[in-house]
Amino acid sequence: MAADSALLLGLVEEFVLGQQDRKAVDTATELKAGQFTILQLVEALGLHLTSSQPQTRARGVQLLSSVLQECHGDLTEREVEVLIVFYENRLKDHYVITPHVIQGLKALVSLKLSNLCHVKFHKDFREMSILSQLKGLGADFVFGFVQSVDGERDPRNLLLAFRIAGKIVREGYDLGKFTEELFEVTSCYFPIDFSPPPNDPHGITQEELVLALRAVLTGTPRFAEFLLPLIIEKLDSDVQSAKVDSLQTLTACASVYEHKELAQFLPGLWASLRREVFQTASERVESAGLAAVGSLTACLSRSVLNSDSEDSLNVFLELVLKDCQHHLCEPDLKLVWPSAKLLQATSTASYRASHRVAAAVLPSLIEQYNSRTQVSHTIQLGRSIIVNVDESVLLDFRQSLCSVVFSALSESNADLQITSMRVLTALGQQTGDAPNLSTPLPMNVYLKDVYLIEPFPLLFPEPMAQGDSATQSQEHSQQAVRQRCVAALAAVSSRPSLVQESTPVLLQVLTSAHTGTGAFSLEEVISVCHSLQKIAEQAQDTEETGGVFHDIIPRLLGLALQTASHPEKTHTHTLLIMAHLSSRAVSLFLDGDVSFLPENAFPSQIQLLKVEVPQMDRLLLELEELSCTSDHPLSYTSAAKCYAGLVNKSPAGEMLKRISTELDSASSPVRTQAFTLLLWVSKALLLRYHPLSTALTDKLFSLLSDPELGSLAADGFSLLMSDSQDVLNRGSHADVRIMYRQRFFTENSAKLVEGFNAAVQEKKSGYLKALSHIVNNLPRQVQLTELPALLPLLLEALSCPDQGVQVSTLSCLQPVLLDPPSTLITQLEVLVGRTLALTTSPTMKVRIASLRCIHALSRFPEHEVRLWVLRALAAPLDDHKRVVRSEAAVARNEWFLLGSPGGR
């Protein structure tokens, strides 16, 4: 073997340094003869590949690539894996090396895919940018790829092949004369009928293959002339999955194609689509067919036409209307619904399509409704058309449409009522200015002046006598009618003219309900409030709309205040509406502006936000009582927050005796509540440097060993050291002193270490968790300063079985490792060992955090652990979570680059 090694080194030296190109052929010959392996060649090139001279490194890569061109057929999977990683890293090297890298990659790509069938190659290949580098090879590369894929059957290789082919077509590779060949070599697998075997170790699914192949077939319009006839052919299949796959593939084409690719195939496509919707017994097939119809319509609608090109959208719509329109009036229901669905699919696809379908279909739909047959589908289809259609189409049908919609509101069918209100919404949102003498009345004005006035009397019926069941039944029926009318008013009230009419009427309903002059139920009041809220959210922002709300807000405020003073009658929805509408209320609280309140008797300069809280001591006692006695977590936590917020800005004397009493009693049923109050008050006093905070935090430290509250206490330090979003922050004007975290750490870190050392083994994890939370929230400079003293505990925390401790500690260490202090370097072996052990944790967050630390460790100058790290990182590359595999690949690549000129 020594002689073989000397032979190899001699060949390398003569090629690289001696510039003897013929030695590449000699090297390939000796390799074929078994004198050495390709990996031994890479090893022999080591010194030249790490040379400081780019030309020397280029000669080394050139030799390897030249030998690969001659010997690539005999490579093992392991050798291919190493070479792929090697070339990927060389792509980052000097530009003079790149041509030789591409030469080697071309040799690898020309391998038969069955020779490359291993999971790691798949992962590495997906992560790198090799294909982009190969784009310059043009049609020669495509031809080589086609030859490589032809006849492949292994699903792992097919998935890889589809992904490569997808990149080729999406990124505009020069396909040359091999366009049809590339299509044929991939489309022969369409539609995918692969079913993974039981206990398949590779995890390849049918869906993965389907989506990858679909991305290829629909990735370029150049495939249209081949793909569309294939889809038409496959739609004749008796296999449902094949039909669905074909229809979904056709839908995907619509985002890539234009009318010129579709035009000649429209009759054949429509015939197949119509059949699948009219005759199918499968909802999946029908749904996929309708989606394809909509996508085709949208595609044809957005295509830019030339002066000499035919309007393909009009051609397609003529086909649809010819086959569907007449079915809407047939007494036989068999084809009514399929026809209605197809018309819906086209009309909702684009503005142009809805305009064309509406003009053709609306007259027959209105006639159909008036004949009292097929009521539901008439309203539903009408709504789908109206949403997108131009108002000019509707003006000729406005009277008939309004009659149909308001008639449908009185139907007993709930779905029909809902649909009719959606139609009203669409009608109310139609634009249009005040008409002149020569133009018809705009739809929204027509609704206001002609039809909306009709429901108003229904909202205020005459009081009925109480008593018999018939009367009660009638009252219930009237309530249902009133709620439908309220919903109808809200549905159409988006234009200012409609808002001006509807909101006073709805406000009058609330007033009548409050005074008892109207027989309105709680459900009706809630319905009115929801309707007012809907109007406020959807109404157009105009001066007229603002004037309406300006007038009704004082009345809403008055009703809300009156309602609040009678809790037994309170309707909280009224208050919610006030929150949405009361822009003037802001001025009331900030500026003391009471001028808009009717019949007010308030001081002219009232300052609501500057009024001192009355009876503070009593309020604190009540909050303390609630926080310590309620068994509802949200209630006692909110009370604790309120208490803490007040204590943060108030003089704090002797307090919280009850907390200590409850916490010190192991049998107390409210220890959790008392702990919650302790935690929030500790934070409130810590923020303001109050002397009492020390006693409270000492109490928290003591609870770390508590069998019941220990875990809560450890997690509590995260709340103590982090920013609170709702209370005790500068945004809520809390008293927050600067550097309170640093001060807390300085005063308490020794206590934490002492507690850890004194605790029994099973209680130590609580101290470690508390420590990781505290350190994790310190500024980085403080972490670097304090790290030497805390490093033993942090390393101990990495071995703690608590996964929360592991994540928190790793998150703390990772930013420090980016600029490591000398103390960390001396503990490198222990740190690497414990961090690597966590890369296979059952918890994904732990695996990710540990891999980020491994990535950061690549910045250390001590590289003697490099091979150890690389071996250990092989396992996470096979992790079942993609995000973990991604972090592992990034970390491993950094370690691969260590020591090379292109690396760190």
Side-chain angles (χ1 to χ4, degrees):
M1 187 65 195
D4 294 343
S5 177
L7 171 64
L8 176 58
L9 290 174
L11 290 170
V12 169
E13 292 291 327
E14 290 173 336
F15 181 90
V16 176
L17 301 180
Q19 301 292 315
Q20 299 182 39
D21 290 347
R22 68 178 183 276
K23 293 300 179 181
V25 177
D26 296 342
T27 305
T29 301
E30 296 297 336
L31 189 146
K32 288 180 179 178
Q35 297 299 316
F36 45 81
T37 67
I38 196 73
L39 295 185
Q40 287 173 329
L41 173 58
V42 174
E43 184 179 353
L45 286 167
L47 292 177
H48 304 296
L49 295 176
T50 57
S51 170
S52 60
Q53 298 298 319
Q55 291 77 10
T56 302
R57 302 200 300 275
R59 287 290 291 180
V61 177
Q62 182 182 357
L63 174 59
L64 177 61
S65 297
S66 298
V67 171
L68 273 180
Q69 285 187 312
E70 300 295 327
C71 308
H72 60 266
D74 299 324
L75 295 180
T76 66
E77 293 181 1
R78 171 61 180 163
E79 290 170 336
V80 172
E81 177 186 359
V82 173
L83 289 170
I84 286 292
V85 174
F86 170 80
Y87 279 120
E88 180 184 2
N89 289 325
R90 290 307 97 203
L91 283 172
K92 305 170 186 176
D93 206 337
H94 197 276
Y95 67 89
V96 301
I97 302 174
T98 302
H100 307 304
V101 173
I102 294 178
Q103 180 187 9
L105 290 173
K106 183 179 179 182
L108 289 177
V109 172
S110 63
L111 284 170
K112 195 69 177 175
L113 280 178
S114 57
N115 295 335
L116 304 180
C117 178
H118 52 86
V119 176
K120 291 178 182 175
F121 171 73
H122 291 188
K123 293 174 180 174
D124 288 335
F125 204 94
R126 290 200 302 270
E127 293 292 336
M128 62 186 182
S129 57
I130 291 176
L131 287 178
S132 297
Q133 302 291 337
L134 295 175
K135 189 174 182 180
L137 298 179
D140 289 342
F141 169 70
V142 176
F143 177 68
F145 174 76
V146 168
Q147 285 187 314
S148 175
V149 174
D150 191 20
E152 183 58 56
R153 300 190 61 83
D154 190 301
R156 295 170 293 171
N157 297 328
L158 284 176
L159 184 60
L160 175 61
F162 293 158
R163 288 173 176 170
I164 297 174
K167 191 174 184 67
I168 290 172
V169 298
R170 287 194 305 274
E171 297 196 0
Y173 279 62
D174 179 15
L175 304 183
K177 59 184 179 181
F178 302 114
T179 301
E180 185 171 3
E181 284 76 6
L182 181 60
F183 176 81
E184 290 295 337
V185 81
T186 51
S187 65
C188 64
Y189 301 98
F190 178 81
I192 297 290
D193 60 357
F194 167 75
S195 297
N199 303 318
D200 178 21
H202 306 297
I204 304 296
T205 66
Q206 182 182 29
E207 183 181 10
E208 284 182 302
L209 291 169
V210 167
L211 295 178
L213 177 56
R214 186 176 300 157
V216 179
L217 300 180
T218 64
T220 173
R222 288 174 287 183
F223 284 168
E225 61 178 308
F226 314 119
L227 177 60
L228 295 176
L230 178 63
I231 289 177
I232 294 173
E233 174 190 338
K234 296 301 181 182
L235 284 175
D236 289 332
S237 170
D238 294 329
V239 181
Q240 184 183 122
S241 60
K243 288 180 180 288
V244 173
D245 192 359
S246 299
L247 292 168
Q248 291 176 344
T249 301
L250 178 59
T251 299
C253 291
S255 63
V256 180
Y257 294 175
E258 295 184 7
H259 72 95
K260 59 180 179 293
E261 284 85 28
L262 294 169
Q264 63 176 312
F265 301 104
L266 287 177
L269 288 172
W270 168 245
S272 297
L273 292 170
R274 177 190 60 194
R275 181 186 67 242
E276 297 310 323
V277 177
F278 277 169
Q279 300 178 10
T280 187
S282 165
E283 291 186 6
R284 285 188 66 211
V285 174
E286 180 189 63
S287 177
L290 293 172
V293 169
S295 297
L296 284 178
T297 306
C299 175
L300 297 172
S301 299
R302 64 173 176 266
S303 295
V304 179
L305 302 178
N306 299 323
S307 58
D308 58 346
S309 60
E310 187 178 22
D311 187 351
S312 298
L313 174 64
N314 196 46
V315 172
F316 186 66
L317 292 179
E318 286 293 340
L319 294 172
V320 176
L321 289 169
K322 177 183 177 182
D323 289 337
C324 296
Q325 185 176 359
H326 65 280
H327 290 307
L328 300 180
C329 302
E330 292 178 355
D332 184 5
L333 288 177
K334 182 178 181 181
L335 296 179
V336 168
W337 278 109
S339 298
K341 290 176 181 178
L342 285 166
L343 289 170
Q344 280 179 294
T346 53
S347 65
T348 56
S350 74
Y351 168 83
R352 287 180 61 203
S354 67
H355 196 284
R356 176 74 177 85
V357 173
V361 171
L362 276 178
S364 60
L365 289 178
I366 293 172
E367 180 182 354
Q368 189 79 351
Y369 181 89
N370 291 332
S371 67
R372 305 307 293 167
T373 57
Q374 319 309 329
V375 170
S376 295
H377 92 267
T378 302
I379 291 290
Q380 180 65 42
L381 181 56
R383 180 246 175 181
S384 299
I385 297 172
I386 291 169
V387 167
N388 292 293
V389 80
D390 184 76
E391 182 173 4
S392 61
V393 179
L394 302 179
L395 289 177
D396 293 338
F397 309 105
R398 57 186 181 176
Q399 183 174 0
S400 300
L401 276 174
C402 291
S403 297
V404 167
V405 172
F406 279 96
S407 171
L409 280 174
S410 62
E411 296 285 343
S412 58
N413 186 302
D415 291 336
L416 190 56
Q417 296 169 13
I418 293 172
T419 303
S420 62
M421 283 188 282
R422 289 174 178 168
V423 176
L424 270 176
T425 301
L427 293 175
Q429 291 173 347
Q430 293 289 332
T431 59
D433 299 323
N436 54 43
L437 295 177
S438 62
T439 59
L441 208 59
M443 182 61 71
N444 66 86
V445 179
Y446 186 81
L447 277 171
K448 174 179 75 71
D449 291 347
V450 179
Y451 271 93
L452 282 188
I453 201 66
E454 293 187 3
F456 292 171
L458 296 175
L459 294 174
F460 303 99
E462 294 294 330
M464 295 187 301
Q466 304 295 320
D468 61 314
S469 58
T471 302
Q472 293 176 357
S473 175
Q474 183 180 2
E475 181 180 357
H476 180 76
S477 176
Q478 287 191 354
Q479 288 179 359
V481 171
R482 289 199 296 267
Q483 288 193 51
R484 288 199 296 271
C485 291
V486 166
L489 289 176
V492 300
S493 297
S494 58
R495 304 287 294 174
S497 58
L498 296 172
V499 173
Q500 289 174 336
E501 295 290 336
S502 60
T503 49
V505 175
L506 296 176
L507 192 62
Q508 185 180 350
V509 174
L510 290 179
T511 303
S512 299
H514 179 74
T515 59
T517 57
F520 296 101
S521 64
L522 174 61
E523 290 75 16
E524 290 177 90
V525 173
I526 293 174
S527 176
V528 170
C529 291
H530 279 308
S531 296
L532 280 171
Q533 179 177 339
K534 181 176 181 179
I535 293 172
E537 292 170 347
Q538 73 183 16
Q540 296 179 355
D541 187 9
T542 65
E543 183 177 352
E544 294 86 349
T545 304
V548 173
F549 293 144
H550 180 277
D551 293 336
I552 68 171
I553 284 174
R555 296 183 62 186
L556 277 176
L557 280 172
L559 283 173
L561 293 173
Q562 293 176 43
T563 305
S565 64
H566 299 83
E568 71 281 359
K569 298 181 180 179
T570 295
H571 300 314
T572 56
H573 290 75
T574 303
L575 298 174
L576 290 176
I577 300 307
M578 184 185 71
H580 282 274
L581 301 180
S582 300
S583 60
R584 293 295 300 271
V586 176
S587 298
L588 171 63
F589 281 89
L590 293 182
D591 305 322
D593 180 11
V594 295
S595 60
F596 69 101
L597 293 176
E599 302 178 5
N600 74 80
F602 301 103
S604 58
Q605 293 298 322
I606 186 172
Q607 295 178 303
L608 295 180
L609 294 181
K610 295 185 179 180
V611 175
E612 291 187 3
V613 179
Q615 304 183 58
M616 174 66 80
D617 293 341
R618 180 182 173 189
L619 177 58
L620 288 172
L621 287 173
E622 293 291 341
L623 288 172
E624 182 184 37
E625 177 69 18
L626 177 60
S627 63
C628 288
T629 58
S630 173
D631 58 359
H632 183 243
L634 179 60
S635 297
Y636 67 69
T637 302
S638 299
K641 290 182 179 181
C642 292
Y643 190 104
L646 293 172
V647 166
N648 175 259
K649 292 179 283 191
S650 305
E654 188 176 350
M655 60 177 69
L656 303 176
K657 291 183 178 179
R658 180 168 186 177
I659 292 180
S660 297
T661 301
E662 301 293 355
L663 290 175
D664 292 341
S665 173
S667 61
S668 173
V670 292
R671 294 188 78 217
T672 301
Q673 291 90 321
F675 169 78
T676 303
L677 182 57
L678 169 67
L679 184 60
W680 281 101
V681 174
S682 299
K683 184 176 181 69
L685 298 182
L686 172 64
L687 293 177
R688 57 181 285 197
Y689 291 175
H690 192 279
L692 187 57
S693 64
T694 301
L696 297 180
T697 53
D698 284 348
K699 186 65 176 178
L700 286 175
F701 281 122
S702 70
L703 290 173
L704 289 172
S705 298
D706 188 277
E708 179 186 0
L709 300 175
S711 179
L712 288 177
D715 287 330
F717 283 92
S718 175
L719 185 149
L720 206 62
M721 298 294 286
S722 60
D723 293 326
S724 176
Q725 298 299 315
D726 49 357
V727 294
L728 297 179
N729 54 57
R730 290 186 172 89
S732 61
H733 307 287
D735 184 357
V736 181
R737 306 295 177 89
I738 61 172
M739 300 178 68
Y740 75 90
R741 294 181 178 89
Q742 293 90 312
R743 177 172 176 170
F744 174 82
F745 178 78
T746 301
E747 293 178 351
N748 293 284
S749 58
K751 299 176 184 176
L752 193 60
V753 174
E754 292 172 3
F756 172 81
N757 292 332
V760 296
Q761 187 62 38
E762 59 268 20
K763 300 297 182 183
K764 288 182 181 291
S765 63
Y767 289 89
L768 294 175
K769 183 183 291 188
L771 172 67
S772 62
H773 285 319
I774 295 171
V775 176
N776 210 25
N777 284 283
L778 289 175
R780 186 170 176 228
Q781 191 56 45
V782 179
Q783 291 177 342
L784 292 174
T785 303
E786 302 295 338
L787 197 62
L790 296 177
L791 189 57
L793 261 68
L794 290 173
L795 293 175
E796 184 75 23
L798 292 180
S799 301
C800 178
D802 190 302
Q803 291 160 353
V805 175
Q806 296 170 1
V807 172
S808 184
T809 305
L810 290 167
S811 300
C812 168
L813 284 173
Q814 192 261 345
V816 178
L817 295 176
L818 296 175
D819 186 15
S822 58
T823 309
L824 265 181
I825 296 176
T826 61
Q827 299 288 333
L828 180 59
E829 184 174 353
V830 176
L831 180 61
V832 171
R834 295 190 180 180
T835 307
L836 284 174
L838 296 178
T839 60
T840 57
S841 166
T843 302
M844 184 182 70
K845 290 183 178 179
V846 176
R847 301 198 299 275
I848 293 173
S850 62
L851 288 167
R852 287 175 178 165
C853 285
I854 292 295
H855 182 190
L857 282 170
S858 63
R859 297 173 178 267
F860 277 63
E862 280 74 13
H863 305 321
E864 57 271 13
V865 294
R866 179 169 177 265
L867 294 178
W868 182 21
V869 172
L870 291 176
R871 285 196 300 269
L873 284 178
L877 287 175
D878 291 329
D879 198 277
H880 64 284
K881 291 290 187 179
R882 184 191 63 79
V883 67
V884 176
R885 297 196 302 270
S886 177
E887 290 291 345
V890 172
R892 199 166 189 245
N893 285 340
E894 286 291 322
W895 281 95
F896 263 119
L897 290 174
L898 284 177
S900 66
R904 299 191 178 278

